[in-house]
Amino acid sequence: LHPAMLDDLGLKATIEWQILELSRRSKIKCDLVMNEDEFELDSIKEKALFRIVQESLTNIMRHAKADKVSIVLENNKEGIILCIKDNGVGIKAYDEKNHTTFGIFSMKERAFSLGGKLSISSKLNKGTEINLFIPTQLEHI
């Protein structure tokens, strides 16, 4: 399903709405750093970025026991960089290669479909960090 809000309001406003929903349903404070003027994305990239943010915030609300989240979304000449950090409990015994929950798997698949890479690092009682990079140009093999 494609969120109609993306078409009507754009990526930043849609992420801001998702953050408002998070704060309405929890006590988590979330900061967003994004320069809207830097982004001219096609609808496929917009949707993927939104869904990755949405899934990340859902996971944080359900599992992290965090009270702060930071989202930074940047666009530079190399590509799009997304970083989501929380100050929660972390993922117990997290192993990037063997952690295959559906939510994390779907985020990685979305990144891969755009030629990008999503990585997650987590330390017990020190939070979790999700990093996404989507290159401007797809590399040809």
Side-chain angles (χ1 to χ4, degrees):
L1 295 172
H2 182 78
M5 189 179 286
L6 274 175
D7 296 332
D8 297 339
L9 301 175
L11 183 61
K12 184 175 185 184
T14 306
I15 292 173
E16 288 171 339
W17 170 80
Q18 190 68 48
I19 289 169
L20 284 173
E21 285 296 300
L22 174 75
S23 64
R24 185 179 64 79
R25 295 167 51 195
S26 71
K27 293 182 181 184
I28 300 171
K29 293 180 182 168
C30 187
D31 295 318
L32 172 65
V33 175
M34 175 185 174
N35 185 346
E36 196 169 19
D37 299 333
E38 294 175 1
F39 290 85
E40 288 186 31
L41 303 172
D42 61 46
S43 65
I44 294 169
K45 284 182 183 172
E46 259 190 359
K47 181 180 174 186
L49 285 167
F50 172 72
R51 292 295 186 203
I52 289 169
V53 169
Q54 183 181 46
E55 180 67 30
S56 299
L57 293 179
T58 298
N59 287 342
I60 290 167
M61 186 177 71
R62 287 182 181 163
H63 308 293
K65 298 180 183 170
D67 63 1
K68 292 181 187 169
V69 175
S70 166
I71 301 171
V72 178
L73 186 56
E74 301 174 326
N75 195 9
N76 62 35
K77 64 183 179 181
E78 285 86 31
I80 299 165
I81 301 164
L82 171 67
C83 180
I84 303 171
K85 294 181 190 178
D86 71 60
N87 68 344
V89 297
I91 302 170
K92 187 177 180 179
Y94 183 74
D95 178 355
E96 177 104 29
K97 294 176 184 155
N98 295 320
H99 204 80
T100 56
T101 64
F102 180 74
I104 291 173
F105 178 77
S106 69
M107 290 191 303
K108 287 184 175 192
E109 283 297 307
R110 286 182 196 278
F112 181 76
S113 73
L114 297 171
K117 178 172 174 41
L118 185 135
S119 63
I120 299 173
S121 60
S122 185
K123 292 186 179 173
L124 200 55
N125 298 317
K126 297 198 181 210
T128 300
E129 183 172 331
I130 298 167
N131 288 290
L132 169 69
F133 175 73
I134 300 171
T136 301
Q137 300 289 326
L138 285 177
E139 293 182 23
H140 298 288
I141 299 174

mmCIF file of all heavy atoms in Angstrom, residues 46-58 82 84 106-111 114 118 130 132 134:
data_model
loop_
_atom_site.group_PDB
_atom_site.id
_atom_site.type_symbol
_atom_site.label_atom_id
_atom_site.label_comp_id
_atom_site.label_asym_id
_atom_site.label_seq_id
_atom_site.Cartn_x
_atom_site.Cartn_y
_atom_site.Cartn_z
ATOM 1 N N GLU A 46 10.945 7.444 -2.258
ATOM 2 C CA GLU A 46 10.198 8.074 -1.169
ATOM 3 C C GLU A 46 9.466 7.036 -0.335
ATOM 4 O O GLU A 46 9.515 7.062 0.886
ATOM 5 C CB GLU A 46 9.175 9.073 -1.728
ATOM 6 C CG GLU A 46 9.606 10.481 -1.637
ATOM 7 C CD GLU A 46 8.490 11.464 -1.964
ATOM 8 O OE1 GLU A 46 7.345 11.069 -2.297
ATOM 9 O OE2 GLU A 46 8.781 12.653 -1.883
ATOM 10 N N LYS A 47 8.783 6.141 -1.022
ATOM 11 C CA LYS A 47 8.012 5.111 -0.316
ATOM 12 C C LYS A 47 8.937 4.204 0.494
ATOM 13 O O LYS A 47 8.649 3.878 1.647
ATOM 14 C CB LYS A 47 7.200 4.282 -1.304
ATOM 15 C CG LYS A 47 6.364 3.210 -0.640
ATOM 16 C CD LYS A 47 5.593 2.419 -1.672
ATOM 17 C CE LYS A 47 4.877 1.248 -1.035
ATOM 18 N NZ LYS A 47 4.239 0.387 -2.016
ATOM 19 N N ALA A 48 10.053 3.797 -0.086
ATOM 20 C CA ALA A 48 10.998 2.925 0.618
ATOM 21 C C ALA A 48 11.549 3.620 1.862
ATOM 22 O O ALA A 48 11.604 3.014 2.936
ATOM 23 C CB ALA A 48 12.130 2.507 -0.317
ATOM 24 N N LEU A 49 11.942 4.871 1.728
ATOM 25 C CA LEU A 49 12.467 5.608 2.882
ATOM 26 C C LEU A 49 11.410 5.732 3.969
ATOM 27 O O LEU A 49 11.686 5.499 5.147
ATOM 28 C CB LEU A 49 12.953 6.997 2.457
ATOM 29 C CG LEU A 49 14.272 7.024 1.697
ATOM 30 C CD1 LEU A 49 14.491 8.387 1.065
ATOM 31 C CD2 LEU A 49 15.423 6.675 2.623
ATOM 32 N N PHE A 50 10.193 6.089 3.575
ATOM 33 C CA PHE A 50 9.128 6.206 4.564
ATOM 34 C C PHE A 50 8.876 4.884 5.264
ATOM 35 O O PHE A 50 8.754 4.826 6.491
ATOM 36 C CB PHE A 50 7.835 6.721 3.936
ATOM 37 C CG PHE A 50 6.688 6.668 4.898
ATOM 38 C CD1 PHE A 50 6.628 7.550 5.964
ATOM 39 C CD2 PHE A 50 5.707 5.712 4.769
ATOM 40 C CE1 PHE A 50 5.593 7.482 6.886
ATOM 41 C CE2 PHE A 50 4.668 5.630 5.680
ATOM 42 C CZ PHE A 50 4.608 6.521 6.740
ATOM 43 N N ARG A 51 8.792 3.788 4.509
ATOM 44 C CA ARG A 51 8.507 2.483 5.114
ATOM 45 C C ARG A 51 9.628 2.032 6.052
ATOM 46 O O ARG A 51 9.368 1.412 7.082
ATOM 47 C CB ARG A 51 8.251 1.427 4.041
ATOM 48 C CG ARG A 51 6.975 1.635 3.266
ATOM 49 C CD ARG A 51 5.778 1.481 4.161
ATOM 50 N NE ARG A 51 4.562 1.543 3.362
ATOM 51 C CZ ARG A 51 3.384 1.878 3.838
ATOM 52 N NH1 ARG A 51 3.249 2.172 5.114
ATOM 53 N NH2 ARG A 51 2.334 1.917 3.059
ATOM 54 N N ILE A 52 10.870 2.346 5.714
ATOM 55 C CA ILE A 52 11.985 2.001 6.601
ATOM 56 C C ILE A 52 11.895 2.806 7.898
ATOM 57 O O ILE A 52 12.068 2.260 8.989
ATOM 58 C CB ILE A 52 13.343 2.194 5.884
ATOM 59 C CG1 ILE A 52 13.505 1.099 4.816
ATOM 60 C CG2 ILE A 52 14.502 2.176 6.891
ATOM 61 C CD1 ILE A 52 14.657 1.314 3.866
ATOM 62 N N VAL A 53 11.594 4.096 7.793
ATOM 63 C CA VAL A 53 11.409 4.922 8.993
ATOM 64 C C VAL A 53 10.238 4.390 9.810
ATOM 65 O O VAL A 53 10.334 4.225 11.029
ATOM 66 C CB VAL A 53 11.202 6.411 8.625
ATOM 67 C CG1 VAL A 53 10.747 7.215 9.839
ATOM 68 C CG2 VAL A 53 12.471 7.001 8.035
ATOM 69 N N GLN A 54 9.136 4.098 9.139
ATOM 70 C CA GLN A 54 7.939 3.597 9.820
ATOM 71 C C GLN A 54 8.222 2.292 10.564
ATOM 72 O O GLN A 54 7.863 2.141 11.736
ATOM 73 C CB GLN A 54 6.821 3.408 8.793
ATOM 74 C CG GLN A 54 5.503 2.971 9.379
ATOM 75 C CD GLN A 54 4.466 2.773 8.300
ATOM 76 O OE1 GLN A 54 4.736 2.157 7.259
ATOM 77 N NE2 GLN A 54 3.278 3.304 8.524
ATOM 78 N N GLU A 55 8.855 1.351 9.912
ATOM 79 C CA GLU A 55 9.169 0.066 10.535
ATOM 80 C C GLU A 55 10.133 0.255 11.705
ATOM 81 O O GLU A 55 9.981 -0.368 12.765
ATOM 82 C CB GLU A 55 9.763 -0.905 9.519
ATOM 83 C CG GLU A 55 10.121 -2.261 10.072
ATOM 84 C CD GLU A 55 8.920 -3.091 10.520
ATOM 85 O OE1 GLU A 55 7.822 -2.937 9.944
ATOM 86 O OE2 GLU A 55 9.077 -3.886 11.464
ATOM 87 N N SER A 56 11.118 1.124 11.529
ATOM 88 C CA SER A 56 12.075 1.397 12.606
ATOM 89 C C SER A 56 11.382 1.972 13.829
ATOM 90 O O SER A 56 11.621 1.522 14.953
ATOM 91 C CB SER A 56 13.146 2.379 12.123
ATOM 92 O OG SER A 56 13.868 1.835 11.047
ATOM 93 N N LEU A 57 10.515 2.950 13.629
ATOM 94 C CA LEU A 57 9.815 3.568 14.755
ATOM 95 C C LEU A 57 8.865 2.584 15.426
ATOM 96 O O LEU A 57 8.734 2.581 16.654
ATOM 97 C CB LEU A 57 9.067 4.826 14.298
ATOM 98 C CG LEU A 57 9.954 5.990 13.855
ATOM 99 C CD1 LEU A 57 9.106 7.165 13.403
ATOM 100 C CD2 LEU A 57 10.928 6.407 14.942
ATOM 101 N N THR A 58 8.230 1.738 14.637
ATOM 102 C CA THR A 58 7.353 0.713 15.207
ATOM 103 C C THR A 58 8.154 -0.241 16.088
ATOM 104 O O THR A 58 7.752 -0.565 17.210
ATOM 105 C CB THR A 58 6.631 -0.062 14.093
ATOM 106 O OG1 THR A 58 5.809 0.849 13.363
ATOM 107 C CG2 THR A 58 5.768 -1.176 14.651
ATOM 108 N N LEU A 82 20.445 7.748 5.681
ATOM 109 C CA LEU A 82 19.449 7.772 6.746
ATOM 110 C C LEU A 82 20.059 7.127 7.978
ATOM 111 O O LEU A 82 20.632 6.035 7.896
ATOM 112 C CB LEU A 82 18.188 6.992 6.329
ATOM 113 C CG LEU A 82 17.135 6.739 7.408
ATOM 114 C CD1 LEU A 82 16.488 8.049 7.859
ATOM 115 C CD2 LEU A 82 16.078 5.772 6.894
ATOM 116 N N ILE A 84 18.986 6.313 12.043
ATOM 117 C CA ILE A 84 17.985 6.320 13.107
ATOM 118 C C ILE A 84 18.635 5.720 14.346
ATOM 119 O O ILE A 84 19.113 4.585 14.310
ATOM 120 C CB ILE A 84 16.737 5.506 12.708
ATOM 121 C CG1 ILE A 84 16.144 6.066 11.410
ATOM 122 C CG2 ILE A 84 15.708 5.518 13.842
ATOM 123 C CD1 ILE A 84 15.034 5.212 10.819
ATOM 124 N N SER A 106 12.575 -7.034 5.796
ATOM 125 C CA SER A 106 11.892 -6.203 4.799
ATOM 126 C C SER A 106 12.593 -4.858 4.608
ATOM 127 O O SER A 106 12.675 -4.350 3.491
ATOM 128 C CB SER A 106 10.415 -6.006 5.155
ATOM 129 O OG SER A 106 10.273 -5.212 6.299
ATOM 130 N N MET A 107 13.156 -4.293 5.698
ATOM 131 C CA MET A 107 13.903 -3.044 5.555
ATOM 132 C C MET A 107 15.150 -3.257 4.699
ATOM 133 O O MET A 107 15.461 -2.454 3.822
ATOM 134 C CB MET A 107 14.298 -2.490 6.925
ATOM 135 C CG MET A 107 13.126 -1.967 7.729
ATOM 136 S SD MET A 107 13.563 -1.037 9.213
ATOM 137 C CE MET A 107 14.569 -2.175 10.133
ATOM 138 N N LYS A 108 15.851 -4.363 4.940
ATOM 139 C CA LYS A 108 17.051 -4.653 4.155
ATOM 140 C C LYS A 108 16.707 -4.912 2.691
ATOM 141 O O LYS A 108 17.436 -4.496 1.787
ATOM 142 C CB LYS A 108 17.805 -5.841 4.757
ATOM 143 C CG LYS A 108 18.497 -5.481 6.049
ATOM 144 C CD LYS A 108 19.318 -6.623 6.586
ATOM 145 C CE LYS A 108 20.089 -6.160 7.803
ATOM 146 N NZ LYS A 108 21.109 -7.081 8.223
ATOM 147 N N GLU A 109 15.601 -5.588 2.452
ATOM 148 C CA GLU A 109 15.165 -5.852 1.075
ATOM 149 C C GLU A 109 14.817 -4.552 0.350
ATOM 150 O O GLU A 109 15.130 -4.395 -0.825
ATOM 151 C CB GLU A 109 13.971 -6.802 1.057
ATOM 152 C CG GLU A 109 14.359 -8.239 1.298
ATOM 153 C CD GLU A 109 15.270 -8.789 0.209
ATOM 154 O OE1 GLU A 109 14.917 -8.693 -0.985
ATOM 155 O OE2 GLU A 109 16.347 -9.307 0.547
ATOM 156 N N ARG A 110 14.149 -3.636 1.028
ATOM 157 C CA ARG A 110 13.822 -2.330 0.422
ATOM 158 C C ARG A 110 15.101 -1.600 0.035
ATOM 159 O O ARG A 110 15.206 -1.030 -1.037
ATOM 160 C CB ARG A 110 13.000 -1.476 1.372
ATOM 161 C CG ARG A 110 11.570 -1.909 1.517
ATOM 162 C CD ARG A 110 10.819 -0.949 2.447
ATOM 163 N NE ARG A 110 9.579 -1.516 2.898
ATOM 164 C CZ ARG A 110 8.453 -1.521 2.211
ATOM 165 N NH1 ARG A 110 8.410 -0.988 1.013
ATOM 166 N NH2 ARG A 110 7.357 -2.061 2.713
ATOM 167 N N ALA A 111 16.079 -1.612 0.940
ATOM 168 C CA ALA A 111 17.359 -0.954 0.652
ATOM 169 C C ALA A 111 18.037 -1.613 -0.543
ATOM 170 O O ALA A 111 18.496 -0.927 -1.473
ATOM 171 C CB ALA A 111 18.265 -1.015 1.882
ATOM 172 N N LEU A 114 16.917 -0.830 -4.053
ATOM 173 C CA LEU A 114 17.330 0.477 -4.560
ATOM 174 C C LEU A 114 18.843 0.570 -4.738
ATOM 175 O O LEU A 114 19.385 1.651 -4.933
ATOM 176 C CB LEU A 114 16.850 1.572 -3.610
ATOM 177 C CG LEU A 114 15.335 1.687 -3.469
ATOM 178 C CD1 LEU A 114 14.983 2.643 -2.346
ATOM 179 C CD2 LEU A 114 14.690 2.103 -4.775
ATOM 180 N N LEU A 118 21.478 -1.491 4.160
ATOM 181 C CA LEU A 118 20.995 -1.127 5.478
ATOM 182 C C LEU A 118 21.755 -1.958 6.495
ATOM 183 O O LEU A 118 21.870 -3.173 6.342
ATOM 184 C CB LEU A 118 19.494 -1.391 5.593
ATOM 185 C CG LEU A 118 18.859 -0.936 6.908
ATOM 186 C CD1 LEU A 118 17.564 -0.205 6.623
ATOM 187 C CD2 LEU A 118 18.599 -2.120 7.816
ATOM 188 N N ILE A 130 20.374 2.339 13.200
ATOM 189 C CA ILE A 130 20.077 1.839 11.853
ATOM 190 C C ILE A 130 20.683 2.829 10.875
ATOM 191 O O ILE A 130 20.431 4.036 10.971
ATOM 192 C CB ILE A 130 18.561 1.726 11.635
ATOM 193 C CG1 ILE A 130 17.971 0.721 12.622
ATOM 194 C CG2 ILE A 130 18.239 1.358 10.192
ATOM 195 C CD1 ILE A 130 16.474 0.746 12.712
ATOM 196 N N LEU A 132 21.297 3.558 6.724
ATOM 197 C CA LEU A 132 20.915 3.233 5.356
ATOM 198 C C LEU A 132 21.675 4.138 4.414
ATOM 199 O O LEU A 132 21.786 5.339 4.659
ATOM 200 C CB LEU A 132 19.404 3.448 5.168
ATOM 201 C CG LEU A 132 18.883 3.407 3.732
ATOM 202 C CD1 LEU A 132 18.970 1.994 3.163
ATOM 203 C CD2 LEU A 132 17.454 3.913 3.673
ATOM 204 N N ILE A 134 21.702 4.798 0.180
ATOM 205 C CA ILE A 134 21.198 4.505 -1.166
ATOM 206 C C ILE A 134 22.018 5.357 -2.128
ATOM 207 O O ILE A 134 21.965 6.591 -2.064
ATOM 208 C CB ILE A 134 19.703 4.842 -1.307
ATOM 209 C CG1 ILE A 134 18.870 4.025 -0.315
ATOM 210 C CG2 ILE A 134 19.227 4.595 -2.734
ATOM 211 C CD1 ILE A 134 17.427 4.441 -0.229
#
